[in-house]
Amino acid sequence: MPLPFLTADRAFDTADDVALPYDDRDLWRRPYRPGPWRVGTAALMLLLASFVLFAAVIIAATGGPSSAAVVFGIAVVVIVCALRMLRMGAWVSAHGVRHVAFFTTRTVAWQHVASVRTVQQPVRWLGLPRTVQGQALLLVRKGRSAEPMAPLLTTHNADFLARDGAFNRAADAVEAWADEYRRD
């Protein structure tokens, strides 16, 4: 019984560029995978939350329910922070580009985008106040001053630190979406 999907030497179809039936361009998607710094930090936060939840169960079994509720609330806050940290980044769809930060989310429709470009500039290292020389993907809006918004992506954020190739692919993907959907 031949199993062509398991062999590495089969001929690939030439119709690879055809969109898959479930490929909905109206859904918000991140054009890159979350980086190891972001995923590792979120995993450590979730590990901490599991210990705090275990402590809440022990406190509920031995102490009062009010103190257990407080500890349980702390665990829920840590879990929500870890999940929000995993959602941070740049998201694209046919509607526009969305920049998700920890406390804020900004969405810009493609009609309002003047340009999306990669520039060499000082960028923040892992979101800390320290800046280093790196690359940033900037979005400039139409009808606003020529000054761009905060960078969508940088080479030294939690997704792309020490992953220059991944940054270049992600920046190219966002620029391609902008070129495809921007209407002049």
mmCIF file with all atom_site columns, all heavy atoms in Angstrom, residues 4 16 18 26 53 73 79 91 95 104 142 148 162 183:
data_model
loop_
_atom_site.group_PDB
_atom_site.id
_atom_site.type_symbol
_atom_site.label_atom_id
_atom_site.label_alt_id
_atom_site.label_comp_id
_atom_site.label_asym_id
_atom_site.label_entity_id
_atom_site.label_seq_id
_atom_site.pdbx_PDB_ins_code
_atom_site.Cartn_x
_atom_site.Cartn_y
_atom_site.Cartn_z
_atom_site.occupancy
_atom_site.B_iso_or_equiv
_atom_site.pdbx_formal_charge
_atom_site.auth_seq_id
_atom_site.auth_comp_id
_atom_site.auth_asym_id
_atom_site.auth_atom_id
_atom_site.pdbx_PDB_model_num
ATOM 1   N N   . PRO A 1 4   ? 1.956   8.034  -0.154 1.00 0.00 ? 4   PRO A N   1
ATOM 2   C CA  . PRO A 1 4   ? 2.757   9.132  -0.688 1.00 0.00 ? 4   PRO A CA  1
ATOM 3   C C   . PRO A 1 4   ? 2.881   10.317 0.270  1.00 0.00 ? 4   PRO A C   1
ATOM 4   O O   . PRO A 1 4   ? 3.809   11.082 0.173  1.00 0.00 ? 4   PRO A O   1
ATOM 5   C CB  . PRO A 1 4   ? 2.027   9.525  -1.961 1.00 0.00 ? 4   PRO A CB  1
ATOM 6   C CG  . PRO A 1 4   ? 0.620   9.080  -1.739 1.00 0.00 ? 4   PRO A CG  1
ATOM 7   C CD  . PRO A 1 4   ? 0.708   7.840  -0.877 1.00 0.00 ? 4   PRO A CD  1
ATOM 8   N N   . ASP A 1 16  ? 0.262   25.070 -5.022 1.00 0.00 ? 16  ASP A N   1
ATOM 9   C CA  . ASP A 1 16  ? 0.459   25.362 -3.600 1.00 0.00 ? 16  ASP A CA  1
ATOM 10  C C   . ASP A 1 16  ? -0.019  26.753 -3.219 1.00 0.00 ? 16  ASP A C   1
ATOM 11  O O   . ASP A 1 16  ? -0.267  27.014 -2.051 1.00 0.00 ? 16  ASP A O   1
ATOM 12  C CB  . ASP A 1 16  ? 1.931   25.224 -3.231 1.00 0.00 ? 16  ASP A CB  1
ATOM 13  C CG  . ASP A 1 16  ? 2.369   23.775 -3.178 1.00 0.00 ? 16  ASP A CG  1
ATOM 14  O OD1 . ASP A 1 16  ? 1.514   22.898 -3.038 1.00 0.00 ? 16  ASP A OD1 1
ATOM 15  O OD2 . ASP A 1 16  ? 3.576   23.542 -3.276 1.00 0.00 ? 16  ASP A OD2 1
ATOM 16  N N   . VAL A 1 18  ? -2.784  28.163 -4.040 1.00 0.00 ? 18  VAL A N   1
ATOM 17  C CA  . VAL A 1 18  ? -4.237  28.246 -3.965 1.00 0.00 ? 18  VAL A CA  1
ATOM 18  C C   . VAL A 1 18  ? -4.636  28.291 -2.498 1.00 0.00 ? 18  VAL A C   1
ATOM 19  O O   . VAL A 1 18  ? -4.148  27.509 -1.683 1.00 0.00 ? 18  VAL A O   1
ATOM 20  C CB  . VAL A 1 18  ? -4.883  27.034 -4.672 1.00 0.00 ? 18  VAL A CB  1
ATOM 21  C CG1 . VAL A 1 18  ? -6.392  27.071 -4.512 1.00 0.00 ? 18  VAL A CG1 1
ATOM 22  C CG2 . VAL A 1 18  ? -4.487  27.014 -6.124 1.00 0.00 ? 18  VAL A CG2 1
ATOM 23  N N   . ASP A 1 26  ? -10.631 37.160 6.594  1.00 0.00 ? 26  ASP A N   1
ATOM 24  C CA  . ASP A 1 26  ? -11.293 38.124 7.464  1.00 0.00 ? 26  ASP A CA  1
ATOM 25  C C   . ASP A 1 26  ? -11.000 37.880 8.939  1.00 0.00 ? 26  ASP A C   1
ATOM 26  O O   . ASP A 1 26  ? -11.290 38.722 9.775  1.00 0.00 ? 26  ASP A O   1
ATOM 27  C CB  . ASP A 1 26  ? -12.801 38.095 7.240  1.00 0.00 ? 26  ASP A CB  1
ATOM 28  C CG  . ASP A 1 26  ? -13.179 38.687 5.896  1.00 0.00 ? 26  ASP A CG  1
ATOM 29  O OD1 . ASP A 1 26  ? -12.410 39.530 5.389  1.00 0.00 ? 26  ASP A OD1 1
ATOM 30  O OD2 . ASP A 1 26  ? -14.226 38.305 5.350  1.00 0.00 ? 26  ASP A OD2 1
ATOM 31  N N   . LEU A 1 53  ? -2.899  28.396 43.035 1.00 0.00 ? 53  LEU A N   1
ATOM 32  C CA  . LEU A 1 53  ? -4.184  27.692 43.113 1.00 0.00 ? 53  LEU A CA  1
ATOM 33  C C   . LEU A 1 53  ? -4.129  26.542 44.114 1.00 0.00 ? 53  LEU A C   1
ATOM 34  O O   . LEU A 1 53  ? -5.081  26.296 44.854 1.00 0.00 ? 53  LEU A O   1
ATOM 35  C CB  . LEU A 1 53  ? -4.579  27.168 41.733 1.00 0.00 ? 53  LEU A CB  1
ATOM 36  C CG  . LEU A 1 53  ? -5.128  28.193 40.751 1.00 0.00 ? 53  LEU A CG  1
ATOM 37  C CD1 . LEU A 1 53  ? -5.290  27.569 39.372 1.00 0.00 ? 53  LEU A CD1 1
ATOM 38  C CD2 . LEU A 1 53  ? -6.442  28.747 41.246 1.00 0.00 ? 53  LEU A CD2 1
ATOM 39  N N   . GLY A 1 73  ? -8.242  34.652 43.787 1.00 0.00 ? 73  GLY A N   1
ATOM 40  C CA  . GLY A 1 73  ? -8.285  35.848 42.943 1.00 0.00 ? 73  GLY A CA  1
ATOM 41  C C   . GLY A 1 73  ? -6.908  36.233 42.430 1.00 0.00 ? 73  GLY A C   1
ATOM 42  O O   . GLY A 1 73  ? -6.761  36.647 41.272 1.00 0.00 ? 73  GLY A O   1
ATOM 43  N N   . ILE A 1 79  ? -3.124  34.289 35.855 1.00 0.00 ? 79  ILE A N   1
ATOM 44  C CA  . ILE A 1 79  ? -3.508  33.560 34.633 1.00 0.00 ? 79  ILE A CA  1
ATOM 45  C C   . ILE A 1 79  ? -3.937  34.523 33.542 1.00 0.00 ? 79  ILE A C   1
ATOM 46  O O   . ILE A 1 79  ? -3.535  34.380 32.378 1.00 0.00 ? 79  ILE A O   1
ATOM 47  C CB  . ILE A 1 79  ? -4.618  32.535 34.955 1.00 0.00 ? 79  ILE A CB  1
ATOM 48  C CG1 . ILE A 1 79  ? -4.064  31.412 35.821 1.00 0.00 ? 79  ILE A CG1 1
ATOM 49  C CG2 . ILE A 1 79  ? -5.226  31.971 33.678 1.00 0.00 ? 79  ILE A CG2 1
ATOM 50  C CD1 . ILE A 1 79  ? -5.120  30.485 36.384 1.00 0.00 ? 79  ILE A CD1 1
ATOM 51  N N   . TRP A 1 91  ? -1.345  41.760 14.681 1.00 0.00 ? 91  TRP A N   1
ATOM 52  C CA  . TRP A 1 91  ? -2.326  40.878 14.069 1.00 0.00 ? 91  TRP A CA  1
ATOM 53  C C   . TRP A 1 91  ? -2.818  41.545 12.790 1.00 0.00 ? 91  TRP A C   1
ATOM 54  O O   . TRP A 1 91  ? -2.997  42.761 12.754 1.00 0.00 ? 91  TRP A O   1
ATOM 55  C CB  . TRP A 1 91  ? -3.492  40.640 15.030 1.00 0.00 ? 91  TRP A CB  1
ATOM 56  C CG  . TRP A 1 91  ? -3.101  39.931 16.282 1.00 0.00 ? 91  TRP A CG  1
ATOM 57  C CD1 . TRP A 1 91  ? -2.433  40.454 17.346 1.00 0.00 ? 91  TRP A CD1 1
ATOM 58  C CD2 . TRP A 1 91  ? -3.319  38.569 16.593 1.00 0.00 ? 91  TRP A CD2 1
ATOM 59  N NE1 . TRP A 1 91  ? -2.231  39.500 18.297 1.00 0.00 ? 91  TRP A NE1 1
ATOM 60  C CE2 . TRP A 1 91  ? -2.772  38.332 17.869 1.00 0.00 ? 91  TRP A CE2 1
ATOM 61  C CE3 . TRP A 1 91  ? -3.942  37.518 15.916 1.00 0.00 ? 91  TRP A CE3 1
ATOM 62  C CZ2 . TRP A 1 91  ? -2.828  37.096 18.478 1.00 0.00 ? 91  TRP A CZ2 1
ATOM 63  C CZ3 . TRP A 1 91  ? -4.000  36.291 16.546 1.00 0.00 ? 91  TRP A CZ3 1
ATOM 64  C CH2 . TRP A 1 91  ? -3.445  36.078 17.802 1.00 0.00 ? 91  TRP A CH2 1
ATOM 65  N N   . HIS A 1 95  ? -9.289  43.437 7.122  1.00 0.00 ? 95  HIS A N   1
ATOM 66  C CA  . HIS A 1 95  ? -9.827  44.704 7.621  1.00 0.00 ? 95  HIS A CA  1
ATOM 67  C C   . HIS A 1 95  ? -8.745  45.709 7.980  1.00 0.00 ? 95  HIS A C   1
ATOM 68  O O   . HIS A 1 95  ? -8.967  46.906 7.874  1.00 0.00 ? 95  HIS A O   1
ATOM 69  C CB  . HIS A 1 95  ? -10.700 44.455 8.850  1.00 0.00 ? 95  HIS A CB  1
ATOM 70  C CG  . HIS A 1 95  ? -11.812 43.495 8.601  1.00 0.00 ? 95  HIS A CG  1
ATOM 71  N ND1 . HIS A 1 95  ? -12.888 43.783 7.798  1.00 0.00 ? 95  HIS A ND1 1
ATOM 72  C CD2 . HIS A 1 95  ? -11.990 42.231 9.023  1.00 0.00 ? 95  HIS A CD2 1
ATOM 73  C CE1 . HIS A 1 95  ? -13.686 42.748 7.748  1.00 0.00 ? 95  HIS A CE1 1
ATOM 74  N NE2 . HIS A 1 95  ? -13.170 41.784 8.486  1.00 0.00 ? 95  HIS A NE2 1
ATOM 75  N N   . THR A 1 104 ? -3.376  47.973 26.070 1.00 0.00 ? 104 THR A N   1
ATOM 76  C CA  . THR A 1 104 ? -4.119  48.628 24.998 1.00 0.00 ? 104 THR A CA  1
ATOM 77  C C   . THR A 1 104 ? -4.110  47.794 23.721 1.00 0.00 ? 104 THR A C   1
ATOM 78  O O   . THR A 1 104 ? -3.225  46.961 23.521 1.00 0.00 ? 104 THR A O   1
ATOM 79  C CB  . THR A 1 104 ? -3.515  50.007 24.676 1.00 0.00 ? 104 THR A CB  1
ATOM 80  O OG1 . THR A 1 104 ? -2.167  49.824 24.241 1.00 0.00 ? 104 THR A OG1 1
ATOM 81  C CG2 . THR A 1 104 ? -3.561  50.938 25.863 1.00 0.00 ? 104 THR A CG2 1
ATOM 82  N N   . LYS A 1 142 ? -2.412  57.684 7.319  1.00 0.00 ? 142 LYS A N   1
ATOM 83  C CA  . LYS A 1 142 ? -2.772  58.801 6.439  1.00 0.00 ? 142 LYS A CA  1
ATOM 84  C C   . LYS A 1 142 ? -3.460  59.877 7.258  1.00 0.00 ? 142 LYS A C   1
ATOM 85  O O   . LYS A 1 142 ? -4.158  59.601 8.227  1.00 0.00 ? 142 LYS A O   1
ATOM 86  C CB  . LYS A 1 142 ? -3.742  58.336 5.349  1.00 0.00 ? 142 LYS A CB  1
ATOM 87  C CG  . LYS A 1 142 ? -3.142  57.449 4.318  1.00 0.00 ? 142 LYS A CG  1
ATOM 88  C CD  . LYS A 1 142 ? -4.185  57.077 3.294  1.00 0.00 ? 142 LYS A CD  1
ATOM 89  C CE  . LYS A 1 142 ? -3.629  56.086 2.308  1.00 0.00 ? 142 LYS A CE  1
ATOM 90  N NZ  . LYS A 1 142 ? -4.667  55.594 1.394  1.00 0.00 ? 142 LYS A NZ  1
ATOM 91  N N   . PRO A 1 148 ? 5.412   58.182 12.774 1.00 0.00 ? 148 PRO A N   1
ATOM 92  C CA  . PRO A 1 148 ? 4.707   56.897 12.851 1.00 0.00 ? 148 PRO A CA  1
ATOM 93  C C   . PRO A 1 148 ? 4.237   56.577 14.262 1.00 0.00 ? 148 PRO A C   1
ATOM 94  O O   . PRO A 1 148 ? 4.631   57.213 15.236 1.00 0.00 ? 148 PRO A O   1
ATOM 95  C CB  . PRO A 1 148 ? 5.755   55.892 12.381 1.00 0.00 ? 148 PRO A CB  1
ATOM 96  C CG  . PRO A 1 148 ? 7.053   56.528 12.735 1.00 0.00 ? 148 PRO A CG  1
ATOM 97  C CD  . PRO A 1 148 ? 6.839   58.022 12.586 1.00 0.00 ? 148 PRO A CD  1
ATOM 98  N N   . ALA A 1 162 ? 17.103  37.615 19.182 1.00 0.00 ? 162 ALA A N   1
ATOM 99  C CA  . ALA A 1 162 ? 18.038  36.610 18.640 1.00 0.00 ? 162 ALA A CA  1
ATOM 100 C C   . ALA A 1 162 ? 17.402  35.755 17.550 1.00 0.00 ? 162 ALA A C   1
ATOM 101 O O   . ALA A 1 162 ? 17.837  34.648 17.300 1.00 0.00 ? 162 ALA A O   1
ATOM 102 C CB  . ALA A 1 162 ? 18.607  35.733 19.749 1.00 0.00 ? 162 ALA A CB  1
ATOM 103 N N   . ARG A 1 183 ? -5.744  50.593 0.023  1.00 0.00 ? 183 ARG A N   1
ATOM 104 C CA  . ARG A 1 183 ? -6.424  51.218 -1.122 1.00 0.00 ? 183 ARG A CA  1
ATOM 105 C C   . ARG A 1 183 ? -6.061  52.697 -1.168 1.00 0.00 ? 183 ARG A C   1
ATOM 106 O O   . ARG A 1 183 ? -6.285  53.416 -0.214 1.00 0.00 ? 183 ARG A O   1
ATOM 107 C CB  . ARG A 1 183 ? -7.920  51.065 -1.002 1.00 0.00 ? 183 ARG A CB  1
ATOM 108 C CG  . ARG A 1 183 ? -8.375  49.626 -1.133 1.00 0.00 ? 183 ARG A CG  1
ATOM 109 C CD  . ARG A 1 183 ? -9.813  49.504 -0.689 1.00 0.00 ? 183 ARG A CD  1
ATOM 110 N NE  . ARG A 1 183 ? -10.335 48.162 -0.733 1.00 0.00 ? 183 ARG A NE  1
ATOM 111 C CZ  . ARG A 1 183 ? -10.048 47.208 0.145  1.00 0.00 ? 183 ARG A CZ  1
ATOM 112 N NH1 . ARG A 1 183 ? -9.199  47.435 1.096  1.00 0.00 ? 183 ARG A NH1 1
ATOM 113 N NH2 . ARG A 1 183 ? -10.584 46.026 0.042  1.00 0.00 ? 183 ARG A NH2 1
#
